[in-house]
């Protein structure tokens, strides 16, 4: 089981890695505070994406889909970027559960192995966006941050805490 939040220490395959955030804890003088992004499944192993995201955001890594429903980590997240891995049906079930429990959460599904029918089903079950896992890590991080900006603007309009 692996759930990691920044700033934090990650225990991964018996190696201790210090993972310090690059964003200032106060969000900077004029910048909005960092978004909370949850990265789940195989995409959590893509350190290029994770490194880019943590430059300006709080990032939580969740390795297994089963841990998403058990943890309260999604209650404070703005965006969930999740990969279905080799089991699209399990990923789609998890997506539907997450969408029901956290309707305010924006979900980006990242997976290059889904059929067009499975991608359409993901949108019906609550995904806001989809990316093939073969895309550039820079583009993946940018799409995730774009969802964060949209989420923050909706929260500001509704007067909700960000």
């Amino acid at each position: 089981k692996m759930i990691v939040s920044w700033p934090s220490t990650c225990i991964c395959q018996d190696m201790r890695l210090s993972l310090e955030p690059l964003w200032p804890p106060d969000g900077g003088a004029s910048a909005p505070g960092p978004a909370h992004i949850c990265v789940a499944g195989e995409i959590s192993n893509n350190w290029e994406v994770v490194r880019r995201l943590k430059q300006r955001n709080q990032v939580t890594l969740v390795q297994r889909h089963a841990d998403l429903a058990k943890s309260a980590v999604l209650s404070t997240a703005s965006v969930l970027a999740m990969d279905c891995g080799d089991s699209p049906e399990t990923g789609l079930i998890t997506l539907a559960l997450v969408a029901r429990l956290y309707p305010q959460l924006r979900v980006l599904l990242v997976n290059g192995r889904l059929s067009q029918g499975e991608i359409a089903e993901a949108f019906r079950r609550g995904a806001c966006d989809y990316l093939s896992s073969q895309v550039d890590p820079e583009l993946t991080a940018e799409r995730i941050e774009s969802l964060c900006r949209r989420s923050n603007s909706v929260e500001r309009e509704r007067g909700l805490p960000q």
Side-chain angles (χ1 to χ4, degrees), residues 63-74:
Q63 207 165 28
R64 296 181 352 195
H65 294 124
D67 295 332
L68 285 172
K70 296 176 190 174
S71 170
V73 71
L74 294 179

Side-chain angles (χ1 to χ4, degrees), residues 76-102:
T76 61
S78 301
V79 172
L80 166 63
M82 85 178 238
D83 190 317
C84 292
D86 292 327
S87 176
E89 188 55 37
T90 301
L92 293 173
I93 291 169
T94 302
L95 174 61
L97 177 64
V98 165
R100 191 173 65 240
L101 293 173
Y102 304 98

